[in-house]
Amino acid sequence: MAHGHAHDHSSHGHSHGGHGHAHGTSDKTRVLIAACLTGGFMIAEAVGGLLTGSLALLADAGHMLSDTVALVLAWYAFHLAGRAATSRLTYGFDRVKTLVAYTNGLTIFAIGMWIVYEAWHRMAEPSPILGGPMLAIAVLGLLVNIGAFFVLHGGDRESLNMRGAILHVVGDLLGSVAAIAAAVIILLTGWYPIDPMLSALVALLLFRSAWTLVREAGHMLLEGAPHGLDRDNIARDIEKNIEGVVGVHHMHVWSLDGARNMATLHACLRDGADAHAAICDIKLRMAKVHRIEHVTVEPEFGHCADGRPHAHLH
């Protein structure tokens, strides 16, 4: 039985790893292209912001600087994720992507706070802004950000690392739109306070998105059950649909990066049940019905080896 179980796990892991590697390579290339686009235009936007006196451009350039660093880190996370597991890091490096996503969310908070701080001072003391050059630079920035967004949009949307990268680019896109709106209003009316006001609005939108990313990545780092997977419901589903299983306990469900879900559980089997068949059936149902492809099952007869009652999930 042990030999058959090991063989099943090994063959399954090979299939899953091959798919993940192919998808990861595509996402890795997408993130690198977006990093080059963002970093290249960030310098032009920073110079333009200084020359025109626009906080909206400077804020977007500052955000693009953090985004360039974040995208490079996201690329490096995908690079690390392709490495094989080691004796110390037995799950490999997939969790690095989640850690980078969490860090990206925190950096967005920091950039947003800086924008709000600067906007507050600019509101108190509005300064002249060159609307024409500001508009031209903002339009170019919008085109670059749209290009980066479409490059990333085709990637794996279940990966928190990719979502974090996309969030950064969306923030830049919003910043460019705000800068364009501010430039148009300044050219038409000469009302300079619109520049810091729209910059602060972009910062507030970023706070909301950043909070969602930090919350989800933090939940994953705490080994929380992935969204849409209810541990207790899954246990009841196994008890109801797998022949020979009379109870499930010691069940844990978690995810490494938002796409690779895992579970461990103890399955109490009816006397005379085929343990190997039950394990195979549990693994198959977990993969097909619950999207959990890496499952470790400990079969039990009569009593739990850990000395815990079968009636409780721990």
Side-chain angles (χ1 to χ4, degrees), residues 102-238:
Y102 185 81
T103 305
N104 280 353
L106 293 180
T107 59
I108 294 174
F109 270 120
I111 293 295
M113 290 174 65
W114 176 79
I115 294 173
V116 170
Y117 175 79
E118 284 294 321
W120 178 264
H121 284 278
R122 294 284 185 103
M123 286 291 292
E125 299 178 11
S127 55
I129 298 168
L130 301 177
M134 176 185 174
L135 178 61
I137 295 170
V139 169
L140 286 175
L142 179 64
L143 295 176
V144 170
N145 289 323
I146 289 174
F149 175 79
F150 278 108
V151 167
L152 293 176
H153 190 71
D156 182 7
R157 300 303 297 278
E158 291 187 356
S159 168
L160 271 183
N161 194 35
M162 277 299 290
R163 287 170 57 189
I166 291 173
L167 176 57
H168 274 282
V169 173
V170 168
D172 284 334
L173 205 150
L174 288 173
S176 296
V177 171
I180 291 172
V184 170
I185 291 174
I186 288 170
L187 285 172
L188 294 177
T189 67
W191 192 50
Y192 297 133
I194 189 63
D195 181 63
M197 286 176 64
L198 288 180
S199 301
L201 177 61
V202 170
L204 294 178
L205 294 174
L206 288 176
F207 285 147
R208 183 177 180 275
S209 299
W211 167 246
T212 300
L213 183 63
V214 168
R215 183 184 61 196
E216 291 188 21
H219 179 77
M220 200 166 296
L221 290 172
L222 290 172
E223 308 288 7
H227 178 71
L229 294 179
D230 186 304
R231 181 198 67 170
D232 295 353
N233 286 339
I234 294 172
R236 284 190 289 267
D237 177 70
I238 293 173

Side-chain angles (χ1 to χ4, degrees), residues 88-112:
R88 296 292 302 276
L89 294 170
T90 57
Y91 277 121
F93 294 81
D94 279 347
R95 184 54 64 87
V96 174
K97 293 184 287 186
T98 305
L99 186 60
V100 168
Y102 185 81
T103 305
N104 280 353
L106 293 180
T107 59
I108 294 174
F109 270 120
I111 293 295

Side-chain angles (χ1 to χ4, degrees), residues 250-288:
H250 280 5
M251 185 172 187
H252 303 277
V253 181
W254 73 100
S255 179
L256 289 178
D257 61 356
R260 189 179 170 195
N261 299 326
M262 301 188 169
T264 61
L265 61 96
H266 289 199
C268 181
L269 304 180
R270 185 180 298 109
D271 289 341
D274 185 336
H276 178 66
I279 291 171
C280 291
D281 289 344
I282 290 172
K283 284 175 171 284
L284 185 62
R285 186 163 187 85
M286 291 286 271
K288 288 191 172 182

Side-chain angles (χ1 to χ4, degrees), residues 3-29:
H3 174 74
H5 173 65
H7 177 76
D8 173 70
H9 174 77
S10 174
S11 61
H12 168 73
H14 175 76
S15 172
H16 179 71
H19 171 73
H21 177 72
H23 212 346
T25 302
S26 172
D27 289 347
K28 178 180 173 182
T29 304

